[in-house]
Amino acid sequence: MPLTITSRDNERLKHAVRLLGSAKARREEGLFVIEGARLCMDALQSGADIREVYATEAAAKRYENEVQALFAAGKECFFLSPSAAARLADTKQPQGIFCVCAALDKQARLYTIKKECKILALEEMQDPSNLGAVLRSAEAFGMTGVLLSEGCCDLYNPKVLRASMGAVFRLPFVRTPDFEGALLELSANGVQTLAAVVDAEAQAITKLDLKGPAAVVIGNEGNGLRPQTAALCDKRVTIPMKGRAESLNASVASAILMWEMTKE
Amino acid sequence: MPLTITSRDNERLKHAVRLLGSAKARREEGLFVIEGARLCMDALQSGADIREVYATEAAAKRYENEVQALFAAGKECFFLSPSAAARLADTKQPQGIFCVCAALDKQARLYTIKKECKILALEEMQDPSNLGAVLRSAEAFGMTGVLLSEGCCDLYNPKVLRASMGAVFRLPFVRTPDFEGALLELSANGVQTLAAVVDAEAQAITKLDLKGPAAVVIGNEGNGLRPQTAALCDKRVTIPMKGRAESLNASVASAILMWEMTKE
């Protein structure tokens, strides 16, 4: 029977709260927090290394099967009083289920995901909800993997995890300090690199042959791709637009490009 | 020279704050509030009826041309002290420019937008950021107009206006209490009505001939289309998905469907 943590000042709880709020702490310790029955089950089913499980008594009743499975899998398990659970909750209506997981060992090497691949490469995508939505779309469209620049929002940010609907647990990804080098390596290995730009002079995504290996490279929400990054891609591509709209929402633009790369 | 409102309890300011926060007040008075230089200029350039303009002194310096143009167009104009402006701001970093506009006279009749049209029909889309994003995409892809059920989020909600990037001012729309009747009328007039569903048995959007007049009908974010609504559409369509993703984000799914209807 797991112990119950009732104090909001419990050291273990405070440690989990710190992981929830700090990308630095997550990076240094190689741990992150997930919340909610569905996301925790996604972690379990994807073989994530679940170090700690926390659940309220109410959650253990309401999500009986899930909490049993998580308690069986977690290395250390605890019940939380409602007030202790409230400290760890990042959502408005928390379900009272949380796990602390080890950072995913999905950091596939580029060369393992480059054959016949469709890669999504993100440069400095900083909004966590955008990043999560983009990962969700990437999984739904069957992208092979995701390449992220160091400047991207932390993948283990609670908003990213939530918006990704668990895709973080299933999509291979590489986070690299040498984003430009990685793009050049892809190109040298026969993966067509496509810089997504807002520019009516660029090639329309509808006019390209996207059958072979390809990587679409998408920039920051506000500023787009850095010109020097776009310059080292094989092609510049754009989504033709009508009306007076100047651009699309970043997660929508990413989705359209991935859709065109993968649809059958 | 416009008067300056310094009191946070000024009656006129309180009236605008009420419009900002209450869909009921907006509906009863036929007025709504917009914020920011860009959105206010969108309103002006789209011929919106600008009843009141508010700007801080700082905004009048920083956005000199915009504030001059808005002061010239607005029926009543005021400077706001910073603390008065803070009451009216709905964003984290307000620019200090606001307009009160009359509800748009864009409520195009269905029969005026039905020839060779591509219509987006939304049933109970309730998240304002989703609705705004969908309208932004609809404009970018050149959709003819938007049909909304009464249960949709208020178009004049500040979050909708902001996420739409001004598309609300330019896209024809109809909000109707008889959504089902409107769909039947479209169908009877030769507009193919397509119920968007998450169902691998439905027709893939990629396999349909979408050249003629068509309306894509999209449901609530959490629950999808009501079955009785889907049943009275001509066809059920779906976006083929891979991996373990169960669905797409509502604004992404809407964008993919509109893209397939309109791309050239």
Side-chain angles (χ1 to χ4, degrees), chain A residues 141 205-207 210 239-240 242 248 252 255-264, chain B residues 117-120 137-138 140-143 192 194 196 203-216 218 237-240 242 248 251-264:
Chain A
F141 297 151
I205 186 75
T206 43
K207 306 296 181 204
L210 297 165
I239 300 173
K242 297 159 193 163
L248 290 163
V252 166
I256 296 289
L257 294 168
M258 291 189 283
W259 168 254
E260 284 293 321
M261 289 169 78
T262 58
K263 70 177 178 161
E264 281 156 12
Chain B
C117 63
K118 303 291 185 193
I119 289 178
L120 171 67
S137 300
F141 297 150
M143 299 291 285
Q192 183 177 210
L194 307 169
Q203 281 190 272
I205 186 75
T206 43
K207 307 295 181 204
L208 279 174
D209 179 2
L210 296 165
K211 291 228 175 61
V216 62
I218 294 170
V237 300
T238 198
I239 300 173
K242 297 158 193 163
L248 291 163
S251 65
V252 166
S254 307
I256 297 290
L257 295 169
M258 292 190 282
W259 168 255
E260 285 294 322
M261 289 170 78
T262 58
K263 70 176 178 162
E264 281 157 11

Side-chain angles (χ1 to χ4, degrees), chain B residues 99-146:
Chain B
C99 293
V100 173
C101 299
L104 301 168
D105 196 14
K106 290 204 175 269
Q107 269 90 336
R109 297 286 300 266
L110 270 182
Y111 64 80
T112 69
I113 57 172
K114 84 188 172 205
K115 295 261 159 88
E116 281 312 306
C117 63
K118 303 291 185 193
I119 289 178
L120 171 67
L122 300 173
E123 181 183 60
E124 299 187 25
M125 184 165 279
Q126 286 174 339
D127 180 84
S129 303
N130 268 339
L131 179 55
V134 166
L135 297 174
R136 179 177 176 186
S137 300
E139 181 185 27
F141 297 150
M143 299 291 285
T144 319
V146 184

Side-chain angles (χ1 to χ4, degrees), chain B residues 121-123 147-149 176-184 217 225 229:
Chain B
L122 300 173
E123 181 183 60
L147 176 68
L148 302 112
S149 77
T176 173
D178 183 17
F179 189 71
E180 297 188 0
L183 293 179
L184 289 172
V217 190
L225 271 184
T229 306

Side-chain angles (χ1 to χ4, degrees), chain B residues 6-212:
Chain B
T6 56
S7 165
R8 291 167 62 90
D9 290 324
N10 176 283
E11 284 304 322
R12 191 175 284 275
L13 180 66
K14 279 162 69 180
H15 175 246
V17 170
R18 198 155 58 239
L19 290 174
L20 187 70
S22 160
K24 182 161 175 282
R26 292 192 290 269
R27 202 168 45 240
E28 285 174 359
E29 304 198 39
L31 296 172
F32 65 102
V33 180
I34 51 178
E35 174 178 346
R38 182 184 161 139
L39 207 49
C40 291
M41 290 306 285
D42 277 342
L44 182 61
Q45 284 158 6
S46 309
D49 177 3
I50 299 179
R51 299 290 176 85
E52 298 164 24
V53 180
Y54 298 89
T56 59
E57 298 269 3
K61 284 197 190 106
R62 185 154 177 203
Y63 303 98
E64 191 182 347
N65 295 339
E66 288 87 346
V67 172
Q68 274 186 8
L70 291 166
F71 275 179
K75 294 201 173 43
E76 298 187 88
C77 304
F78 305 90
F79 282 116
L80 291 181
S81 70
S83 79
R87 269 208 72 174
L88 196 49
D90 188 64
T91 55
K92 281 181 193 155
Q93 296 178 310
Q95 297 178 339
I97 308 179
F98 310 87
C99 293
V100 173
C101 299
L104 301 168
D105 196 14
K106 290 204 175 269
Q107 269 90 336
R109 297 286 300 266
L110 270 182
Y111 64 80
T112 69
I113 57 172
K114 84 188 172 205
K115 295 261 159 88
E116 281 312 306
C117 63
K118 303 291 185 193
I119 289 178
L120 171 67
L122 300 173
E123 181 183 60
E124 299 187 25
M125 184 165 279
Q126 286 174 339
D127 180 84
S129 303
N130 268 339
L131 179 55
V134 166
L135 297 174
R136 179 177 176 186
S137 300
E139 181 185 27
F141 297 150
M143 299 291 285
T144 319
V146 184
L147 176 68
L148 302 112
S149 77
E150 274 290 312
C152 284
C153 170
D154 180 25
L155 275 183
Y156 303 119
N157 176 302
K159 287 204 181 80
V160 174
L161 293 164
R162 205 153 57 233
S164 87
M165 296 291 272
V168 170
F169 292 109
R170 297 180 294 263
L171 266 181
F173 58 83
V174 185
R175 191 180 189 102
T176 173
D178 183 17
F179 189 71
E180 297 188 0
L183 293 179
L184 289 172
E185 190 193 335
L186 283 170
S187 181
N189 282 276
V191 178
Q192 183 177 210
T193 51
L194 307 169
V197 294
V198 177
D199 177 356
E201 305 287 297
Q203 281 190 272
I205 186 75
T206 43
K207 307 295 181 204
L208 279 174
D209 179 2
L210 296 165
K211 291 228 175 61

Side-chain angles (χ1 to χ4, degrees), chain A residues 48-138:
Chain A
D49 176 3
I50 299 178
R51 301 289 178 86
E52 298 165 23
V53 180
Y54 298 90
T56 59
E57 298 269 5
K61 283 197 191 108
R62 183 153 178 202
Y63 303 98
E64 190 182 348
N65 295 339
E66 289 87 346
V67 172
Q68 274 186 6
L70 292 165
F71 275 178
K75 296 203 173 38
E76 298 188 86
C77 304
F78 304 90
F79 282 116
L80 290 181
S81 69
S83 79
R87 269 208 72 174
L88 196 49
D90 188 63
T91 54
K92 281 180 193 157
Q93 296 177 311
Q95 296 178 340
I97 307 179
F98 312 86
C99 293
V100 173
C101 299
L104 301 168
D105 197 15
K106 291 205 173 266
Q107 269 89 337
R109 298 285 301 265
L110 270 181
Y111 63 79
T112 69
I113 57 172
K114 84 189 172 204
K115 296 260 159 89
E116 283 312 305
C117 62
K118 304 293 185 189
I119 290 178
L120 171 67
L122 300 173
E123 182 183 60
E124 299 187 24
M125 184 165 281
Q126 288 174 339
D127 180 85
S129 303
N130 269 338
L131 179 55
V134 167
L135 296 174
R136 178 178 177 186
S137 301

